[in-house]
Amino acid sequence: MSTTQTQYGVVESGFVLKRFPEIHLDLVLALKNSPLFGNNFNVEPDSAMGQLLQIFAEREARLWEMAQAIYYAAYPNTASGAALDNLCALTGIKRKAPSYSRVAVTFSNGVEGVTIPFTTTVSVAKTAERFVVDTDSYETEPVFPEDGSQTVIMIAENSGPIEAPVGSIVNLCTSIAGAPDVTVINNEKADLGDYAETDSDLRLRRQLSLQMGGYGTVESIRSRLSDEFDGITELLVFENHKDYETNNRPPHSLEVIVRGSYTDA
């Protein structure tokens, strides 16, 4: 009976990883077949040479794992992280960055003319999630008017969908000089942020973007809308290609259903 020796590395079927047991066995056989050491050389695990062989095999196994990672990093379906970002950049696709929740917080019992510093911090009562003044919304620090009430746009310290239900922000974490009796509350819930786009979502968006060469197909319309607008959470495109009305859609028409808070990308 003939046996076929396993081929490792880049082969016709892809990449075959050589693992620690195979590497260790190869080293042991190479040592025993060497005329300098011979078949009777002690390579038991508790011997000095046995220990060295395991160290060498473990380090070589890491190199094999690195080679495998490099191989798979060249393909969109298996690449991840920065490698996937680089592949997507070739087609003009960029991973969507994380965004931050924003909320309007009303500061009351202030003193006219006293400023609310950009470093002012508030927090959600139950979760202790902190919000700071959204400096992009202001050229100068907000000031209390005559009635001592000022509404300030604030942004979460942490990215992602940080929730702040109505009335949940009641903690003023930093004092405001000249206005010791200030209280805070949010009369509207936070506009939620989002996490960074995941590898799987990025792969899907890249795949859809490749279908954008055509302009009239359902796939190309879905791809273009998904690529050009941020904040879309659900996107459906229906086509009636028939000569008569179906499902309340006129003949030869398209219907687009979009869910989410979306703006120009």
Side-chain angles (χ1 to χ4, degrees):
M1 183 177 67
S2 61
T3 58
T4 302
Q5 185 176 4
T6 302
Q7 298 295 316
Y8 296 101
V10 180
V11 298
E12 184 177 351
S13 61
F15 189 93
V16 179
L17 177 68
K18 181 180 280 191
R19 302 182 183 277
F20 176 87
E22 291 81 15
I23 296 171
H24 182 261
L25 179 60
D26 283 351
L27 291 176
V28 169
L29 293 177
L31 192 67
K32 287 183 172 292
N33 291 331
S34 168
L36 182 61
F37 297 98
N39 191 53
N40 294 324
F41 195 81
N42 186 6
V43 292
E44 292 299 318
D46 58 351
S47 68
M49 184 56 69
Q51 293 289 315
L52 286 174
L53 289 175
Q54 292 187 57
I55 292 173
F56 295 152
E58 189 270 338
R59 294 191 176 187
E60 186 175 333
R62 290 186 183 182
L63 293 176
W64 274 93
E65 291 171 357
M66 182 185 299
Q68 182 188 51
I70 294 172
Y71 175 85
Y72 284 123
Y75 305 97
N77 288 340
T78 51
S80 61
L84 180 59
D85 290 341
N86 293 335
L87 288 172
C88 289
L90 297 176
T91 54
I93 302 299
K94 184 178 180 181
R95 187 189 299 269
K96 294 181 180 179
S99 58
Y100 297 79
S101 296
R102 300 172 75 251
V103 63
V105 177
T106 299
F107 290 69
S108 302
N109 300 325
V111 177
E112 181 181 2
V114 171
T115 61
I116 301 174
F118 283 151
T119 55
T120 301
T121 305
V122 298
S123 68
V124 179
K126 291 186 177 180
T127 63
E129 290 286 356
R130 294 159 64 95
F131 286 74
V132 298
V133 178
D134 182 11
T135 56
D136 290 339
S137 299
Y138 302 95
E139 294 183 0
T140 59
E141 294 178 333
V143 178
F144 281 110
E146 182 179 359
D147 64 1
S149 179
Q150 179 64 276
T151 299
V152 179
I153 304 301
M154 309 196 76
I155 189 169
E157 284 189 333
N158 299 315
S159 63
I162 305 301
E163 295 187 359
V166 174
S168 63
I169 297 180
V170 294
N171 298 325
L172 178 60
C173 304
T174 55
S175 60
I176 299 178
D181 299 323
V182 170
T183 60
V184 295
I185 194 167
N186 61 312
N187 296 313
E188 298 180 359
K189 66 179 182 179
D191 182 12
L192 299 183
D194 203 354
Y195 298 116
E197 189 172 23
T198 63
D199 285 346
S200 58
D201 287 343
L202 180 56
R203 288 192 194 97
L204 177 60
R205 191 158 61 89
R206 175 189 175 277
Q207 182 178 359
L208 292 174
S209 72
L210 297 178
Q211 301 172 352
M212 290 174 60
Y215 289 92
T217 66
V218 169
E219 291 79 9
S220 66
I221 292 172
R222 185 188 299 112
S223 299
R224 187 169 296 276
L225 288 173
S226 176
D227 187 61
E228 293 186 359
F229 293 91
D230 289 330
I232 294 179
T233 58
E234 188 173 357
L235 174 61
L236 301 174
V237 182
F238 300 97
E239 179 182 17
N240 178 15
H241 54 78
K242 298 179 180 179
D243 295 329
Y244 50 87
E245 179 179 307
T246 59
N247 297 321
N248 296 321
R249 300 185 185 99
H252 303 289
S253 65
L254 290 165
E255 180 181 9
V256 179
I257 301 176
V258 178
R259 177 179 295 174
S261 174
Y262 54 94
T263 57
D264 289 337

